[in-house]
Amino acid sequence: SQWMAQFCTRQSGITVLTGPPGVGKTSYVKGLLSRLAKTHRFFFIPITNAALLTNPEFVTFWLRQGRRYPHRKVVILEDAESLILARDDSSSGKVSNLLQIGDGLLGEFAKVQVLATANCTLRELDPALTRPGRLIGWREFRRLSRREADRVAAAKGLSLPEQPDFSL
C-alpha cells in the first residue's frame, strides 16, 4: 500500500489508526511489529508519559538510538485521544508537542515516527493533524459486515456464529 511504502521509507511523521474499541487496531499494530521487526525499532510510551517525546533529555535518547541502530524508530501511543482530538484549553500543548515530534523540526532532527491509536473517527481529529501532507497515513477501522466477515473466515477456514457484524 502507499501508506506502508511511506511508513517504511520516511524517517519522521505521524500515522493515526482510529475506530471504536475492539475493531482490530491493536491487532494491526501487533502484526506491524512482527512484519517490520528487522527494519523498525518500536517504542511503547504510555499516554500519561507522552510529554517525554519533546523533553530535551529524551531527544538525546533518540539521537543515541539513531547512532546505535540502523532501524527506523517508531513510537506507539495507544488510546491517544488526549493528544490528537480537536484542541481545547487543556490539550493545546499536547497536540503541539505531538506535531513537533511527528511532523516538525524536532521529528526531523530526532528521526522518529509516531503511530497513534484512538477510539474516535477521523473527523474528530485536530484539524492541524489532518492538514494535507501532515500525516504519513491514517486508517479508520470498523466492524465487518456479515458478508465481509464470511470472506475472511472462508480464507482462514473458520466458521462464524450467527450475528450481523464482527470485529477482528
Side-chain angles (χ1 to χ4, degrees):
S1 75
Q2 180 182 358
W3 170 78
M4 184 60 79
Q6 287 191 38
F7 189 76
C8 289
T9 57
R10 285 185 53 180
Q11 293 189 359
S12 66
I14 302 169
T15 296
V16 179
L17 308 178
T18 63
V23 293
K25 297 179 300 290
T26 299
S27 295
Y28 187 78
V29 171
K30 288 177 185 177
L32 280 176
L33 291 171
S34 175
R35 183 175 174 190
L36 301 174
K38 292 180 181 176
T39 58
H40 289 68
R41 189 161 173 86
F42 293 90
F43 300 86
F44 294 87
I45 296 181
I47 200 66
T48 54
N49 293 337
L52 286 174
L53 287 171
T54 56
N55 180 308
E57 293 173 21
F58 217 62
V59 173
T60 304
F61 169 79
W62 295 127
L63 296 175
R64 280 195 317 268
Q65 292 300 306
R67 287 191 297 270
R68 235 180 247 163
Y69 303 102
H71 303 80
R72 302 246 180 256
K73 298 181 294 285
V74 180
V75 170
I76 297 174
L77 300 169
E78 286 193 290
D79 299 321
E81 289 85 357
S82 65
L83 301 178
I84 64 175
L85 292 180
R87 290 179 238 204
D88 59 25
D89 291 339
S90 67
S91 67
S92 184
K94 294 175 184 178
V95 174
S96 294
N97 286 347
L98 179 65
L99 291 170
Q100 286 176 19
I101 193 69
D103 190 50
L105 292 174
L106 183 56
E108 290 289 321
F109 181 69
K111 296 183 172 89
V112 176
Q113 290 184 27
V114 175
L115 175 60
T117 68
N119 298 327
C120 63
T121 65
L122 184 65
R123 292 181 307 281
E124 295 173 273
L125 299 182
D126 191 276
L129 276 172
T130 58
R131 205 169 57 217
R134 176 64 48 95
L135 294 175
I136 292 174
W138 65 273
R139 179 167 182 192
E140 194 157 11
F141 289 72
R142 60 177 175 74
R143 293 184 62 81
L144 300 177
S145 69
R146 176 69 199 206
R147 195 157 138 204
E148 292 167 323
D150 281 338
R151 272 197 352 250
V152 173
K156 302 286 184 186
L158 303 171
S159 60
L160 298 173
E162 284 301 319
Q163 60 187 61
D165 59 13
F166 296 84
S167 69
L168 292 177

